[in-house]
Amino acid sequence: MCAQDRPDEDEHGIRIHAGRYSDAYLQRASWQLGYTIVMWRGRHIAEPTELAAEEASGYWLEVLRVASALQRHYQPVKMNYQTLGNAVPHLHTHLVPRFAQDPAPGRPLPFPEGERPRLPEETVRRDALALRSLV
Ligand SMILES: [Zn+2]
């Protein structure tokens, strides 16, 4: 993630936010509608505790801006914020909208094992365009 040059899109997603502290990518995986990853853009950091106060407030405010756009667009019942980094230890936050028809109410949504099917390309592009104007 450090070496990535802030692309508008990559194989995993389409950028919907380019901020001072982060980029956010709507994911192509069909795991959950609106699934978005916000990536810290700056020196390499694995833990949010490594951020200076100004960086921390900037990062989390941008996370909230993106989450707010997802809420307005997808109208979920609840938003989940997952800052894990066990597999990819560069600071990033998974934004996962949760809907009424949910396979695991009351728990984190389990990541699918193995291959992740993708949303139709036109769906991802249409949603990314709409979200960009909301962020
Ligand atoms: Zn890094």
Side-chain angles (χ1 to χ4, degrees):
M1 285 183 180
C2 298
Q4 209 180 29
D5 188 29
R6 305 189 72 164
D8 279 335
E9 59 183 277
D10 64 15
E11 61 184 292
H12 303 294
I14 298 176
R15 185 161 65 172
I16 58 170
H17 155 83
R20 159 93 174 75
Y21 300 95
S22 69
D23 285 326
Y25 292 88
L26 178 66
Q27 297 297 291
R28 299 179 190 279
S30 66
W31 176 44
Q32 181 76 327
L33 194 64
Y35 170 39
T36 296
I37 295 178
V38 184
M39 273 181 233
W40 160 256
R41 294 300 194 190
R43 70 192 183 285
H44 174 75
I45 278 178
E47 299 290 345
T49 50
E50 297 171 57
L51 296 170
E54 171 252 330
E55 293 171 326
S57 58
Y59 177 74
W60 293 113
L61 283 171
E62 289 184 10
V63 167
L64 296 177
R65 260 176 57 194
V66 175
S68 176
L70 294 172
Q71 283 178 306
R72 278 176 282 157
H73 185 72
Y74 294 105
Q75 311 262 304
V77 175
K78 182 77 182 70
M79 285 297 299
N80 285 181
Y81 306 80
Q82 299 181 323
T83 303
L84 307 172
N86 305 309
V88 181
H90 177 94
L91 176 60
H92 63 284
T93 300
H94 302 261
L95 298 180
V96 187
R98 303 295 294 269
F99 300 96
Q101 64 288 5
D102 193 289
R107 292 181 290 133
L109 196 65
F111 277 94
E113 298 290 328
E115 192 190 334
R116 298 181 192 176
R118 290 170 167 238
L119 291 166
E121 182 67 15
E122 69 267 21
T123 303
V124 182
R125 292 209 174 273
R126 183 199 60 214
D127 286 3
L129 202 63
L131 287 162
R132 252 183 232 145
S133 66
L134 290 171
V135 175

